[in-house]
Amino acid sequence: MALVTSRLSKQLIAELHTAACPEQAKRNARFFKTDIGQYAEHDIFMGLSMPQLRQITTGYLKDVFLQQKHPSDLCWLDPLITSAYHEVRLAALLCLVQLMTRTLKKKGYISSQSIYDYYVAHRHHINNWDLVDCSAHYIVGRHLINRSRKPLHQWVKSPHIWTCRIAMVSQWWFIRQHDLTEIFKLVNHTLARSEDLMHKASGWMLREAGKKNKHALIDYLDIHAHHMPRTMLRYAIEHFEPARRQTYLNKKAPV
């Protein structure tokens, strides 16, 4: 069966290359900051959109399950998740997200634990914000909703920005279930980070938490707004009324 899945992986990669657009690849490279010294330095793009990738990976998974109804492991994704091409890695993550949904809706597929373990083992290949944002909450957050959140408290302290962002964006699944037990603790660990992409992620999660419990967000901001990175604060208060937004933007450190 390994030969079957290996062949299918090669077919998927070939299909992605066929659908790729060189001009779109150039635009993607600029958008995702691939120049020397930027956060995605040296990342390589084919030139595919997210809708294209979703359509192609959905068809790919149908072929996988047609020829291997109950896959026992995820090694068939190895050539995808380790690819030098951004969109191929993204395709692997979209497959994992779809597998997680299948697994939790129907019994008999590969386990949620196996999908989570595979994701964690390959997280250093999840090395851009879109790769994290399309997958972390669906896989890590969804798996840990009724389990220990200890890994998140370890990852959020990581010097590796994408590992830290995985910990933060995973919160979105908890927040959607009205579970705010971890979000403010995790944000505390990102207040002193220098990366703008982490400030945006933390602010985004604070904003989402505020949609579920505005008073909890206000209580947090009343204590921390004066020393929050400006980008994080702006994201967090985006849905506040203008007067309250301005109050937090003008907030000074206590004497």
Side-chain angles (χ1 to χ4, degrees):
M1 194 57 68
L3 290 176
V4 171
T5 52
S6 176
R7 176 171 56 78
L8 287 170
S9 296
K10 290 178 181 178
Q11 287 177 357
L12 174 60
I13 293 172
E15 188 172 351
L16 293 174
H17 275 289
T18 300
C21 170
E23 290 303 314
Q24 182 64 43
K26 293 177 183 178
R27 290 193 292 269
N28 287 350
R30 288 193 296 270
F31 181 75
F32 286 102
K33 311 295 185 185
T34 60
D35 287 342
I36 294 175
Q38 295 183 312
Y39 62 78
E41 182 177 349
H42 303 315
D43 203 356
I44 304 173
F45 287 82
M46 288 180 172
L48 290 158
S49 68
M50 182 63 87
Q52 284 178 298
L53 286 166
R54 290 192 187 281
Q55 181 179 11
I56 293 170
T57 55
T58 298
Y60 170 67
L61 277 181
K62 288 180 180 178
D63 287 340
V64 169
F65 281 93
L66 181 65
Q67 299 189 47
Q68 187 178 357
K69 292 184 179 179
H70 302 290
S72 58
D73 59 52
L74 292 163
C75 63
W76 46 276
L77 283 173
D78 288 354
L80 308 179
I81 195 68
T82 60
S83 172
Y85 285 101
H86 184 101
E87 290 95 337
V88 179
R89 300 195 304 279
L90 182 51
L93 295 170
L94 293 176
C95 286
L96 286 172
V97 169
Q98 291 184 58
L99 283 172
M100 181 66 86
T101 301
R102 281 175 179 261
T103 291
L104 296 179
K105 284 185 176 180
K106 299 179 181 180
K107 301 302 180 183
Y109 292 112
I110 193 165
S111 70
S112 167
Q113 184 69 52
S114 295
I115 296 169
Y116 168 82
D117 289 344
Y118 187 89
Y119 186 91
V120 171
H122 293 85
R123 68 183 182 276
H124 286 283
H125 297 287
I126 306 169
N127 56 355
N128 212 319
W129 61 264
D130 62 321
L131 303 180
V132 173
D133 295 359
C134 80
S135 61
H137 54 299
Y138 286 117
I139 296 174
V140 176
R142 197 169 190 171
H143 181 71
L144 295 182
I145 187 67
N146 295 315
R147 295 176 173 86
S148 170
R149 282 77 180 283
K150 184 177 179 181
L152 303 180
H153 290 275
Q154 296 172 338
W155 299 342
V156 79
K157 301 173 188 176
S158 172
H160 184 245
I161 181 175
W162 308 121
T163 297
C164 182
R165 190 170 174 114
I166 286 171
M168 187 56 60
V169 175
S170 295
Q171 289 297 298
W172 199 9
W173 190 267
F174 303 158
I175 292 167
R176 287 163 64 177
Q177 316 307 316
H178 297 267
D179 181 347
L180 308 184
T181 56
E182 311 295 333
I183 179 60
F184 300 113
K185 300 173 189 176
L186 291 177
V187 169
N188 284 341
H189 290 295
T190 68
L191 292 173
R193 292 190 74 110
S194 61
E195 306 99 336
D196 189 60
L197 284 171
M198 278 311 308
H199 300 164
K200 291 178 179 178
S202 296
W204 169 25
M205 290 302 108
L206 287 173
R207 183 187 69 211
E208 296 304 311
K211 292 178 183 178
K212 303 300 182 183
N213 189 331
K214 187 174 182 179
H215 293 296
L217 176 57
I218 288 172
D219 288 344
Y220 183 82
L221 293 174
D222 285 345
I223 297 172
H224 297 285
H226 69 274
H227 62 92
M228 288 175 67
R230 202 67 167 178
T231 298
M232 187 188 302
L233 178 59
R234 287 187 179 278
Y235 270 61
I237 63 177
E238 185 177 343
H239 290 166
F240 283 7
E241 58 274 17
R244 189 184 291 273
R245 283 205 307 270
Q246 198 58 50
T247 296
Y248 283 115
L249 291 172
N250 293 337
K251 196 172 180 65
K252 304 296 183 182
V255 178

